[in-house]
Amino acid sequence: MAANDQSKVREIRWGLPDVFIGLMISWVAAVVVLIAVLAAFDLDTGGETGTGSYVGRYGLGDHLDLERSDPALPLWTLPVGQLGLWAGLGLTAVVAATFRGNGLRRDFGWSMRMSDIPVGLAVGVFAQIVVVWLIYAPFQQFFDFDVSEAARQITDRAASPGDIALVMLGVVVGAPIFEELFFRGLTLRAFERKWGPVAGVLVSSVVFGAVHFQLLQFPALVVFGIIAALLVKRYKRLGPAIWAHVGFNLIAVINLIWLA
């Protein structure tokens, strides 16, 4: 029986090209979905600036803290706009594992146990409360900056329980599932196969932090990426990392909404 199972293992043909193609597909899909939402609901993008120009500034300008005169989109468009991004990330991982590998479970550790919930949540909460503070506390003694400013600008726009529910749904449910599948599933293992386990953990975490386009949050995102990658290496599955991501984002959102 073991010999038959072993004979079913196919040669892995996914790798770094799948990662970079997946990132490009995801960004394009995110912009396309946002443009479709703007057009479908006839949302105001600043009149003469045009939808394409607005999407460019809205998608990247907010991340890079660039000044913008256009009106802010309704808060509900944020999780809806993320659907394209998540679809690109998830579809890339599914296609790579299904057609170029041996499936999500075998290739990327797509599995979960009940014990993953308390372990992951504890690690994620600890990372958000303690590790993030340790990263920024020394610098805040000498520099005046608010690492949560970009995220607070989003949560401050929550005007109803429905808005808060949408933010929670996107940040606490959608992001952990699809980002962990892509970054700690495909990306971690692609870099690991190319350069070894240490480089896999470090480089995949840098990529994870970089694609958020948040300069101030970049160090914390990279460190969390390393923590999540180590969980995957320790438990040989994505479950603990997904729940760590849930805990990490949940504490951030609760803190921001409470302050707002």
Side-chain angles (χ1 to χ4, degrees):
M1 188 68 175
N4 291 335
D5 291 340
Q6 186 66 27
S7 65
K8 295 178 182 179
V9 177
R10 297 183 297 179
E11 178 185 1
I12 292 177
R13 295 182 292 116
W14 49 259
L16 294 182
D18 298 86
V19 173
F20 298 119
I21 291 173
L23 290 174
M24 289 189 290
I25 290 175
S26 301
W27 288 330
V28 170
V31 172
V32 169
V33 170
L34 183 55
I35 290 176
V37 170
L38 292 174
F41 293 90
D42 194 26
L43 296 174
D44 183 13
T45 62
E48 298 178 359
T49 59
T51 299
S53 175
Y54 184 85
V55 169
R57 285 197 303 280
Y58 181 80
L60 297 180
D62 280 1
H63 284 308
L64 301 176
D65 296 327
L66 301 180
E67 184 176 356
R68 186 185 81 223
S69 59
D70 299 320
L73 288 175
L75 187 61
W76 63 264
T77 63
L78 293 178
V80 171
Q82 292 293 304
L83 292 177
L85 179 69
W86 295 337
L89 296 177
L91 185 61
T92 300
V94 170
V95 169
T98 303
F99 298 102
R100 298 167 59 82
N102 295 281
L104 292 174
R105 185 184 184 94
R106 184 188 292 271
D107 287 1
F108 303 149
W110 181 250
S111 65
M112 185 180 299
R113 299 176 183 175
M114 289 299 296
S115 59
D116 296 342
I117 300 176
V119 171
L121 287 177
V123 171
V125 171
F126 179 83
Q128 182 64 254
I129 295 176
V130 178
V131 176
V132 171
W133 180 83
L134 290 174
I135 293 172
Y136 293 104
F139 298 99
Q140 288 180 324
Q141 301 297 320
F142 305 98
F143 303 100
D144 183 20
F145 64 87
D146 181 6
V147 70
S148 302
E149 180 179 0
R152 185 175 291 110
Q153 290 174 356
I154 296 175
T155 54
D156 282 351
R157 287 157 51 194
S160 69
D163 287 340
I164 295 175
L166 283 173
V167 172
M168 297 287 283
L169 182 65
V171 175
V172 181
V173 178
I177 293 174
F178 292 100
E179 290 184 7
E180 290 306 313
L181 176 58
F182 184 84
F183 291 106
R184 253 66 69 180
L186 173 62
T187 306
L188 170 62
R189 286 165 173 80
F191 280 107
E192 184 178 55
R193 290 182 65 227
K194 184 69 175 180
W195 293 317
V198 175
V201 169
L202 295 178
V203 179
S204 66
S205 300
V206 171
V207 173
F208 170 73
V211 300
H212 284 78
F213 296 105
Q214 294 285 355
L215 184 60
L216 282 178
Q217 295 181 8
F218 176 74
L221 290 169
V222 172
V223 171
F224 174 74
I226 293 173
I227 292 172
L230 292 176
L231 282 174
V232 172
K233 299 293 292 180
R234 166 64 176 83
Y235 290 97
K236 311 298 182 185
R237 58 183 182 273
L238 289 175
I242 291 174
W243 283 103
H245 205 145
V246 169
F248 188 82
N249 286 3
L250 178 63
I251 295 300
V253 172
I254 289 177
N255 182 51
L256 291 171
I257 292 176
W258 178 73
L259 289 176

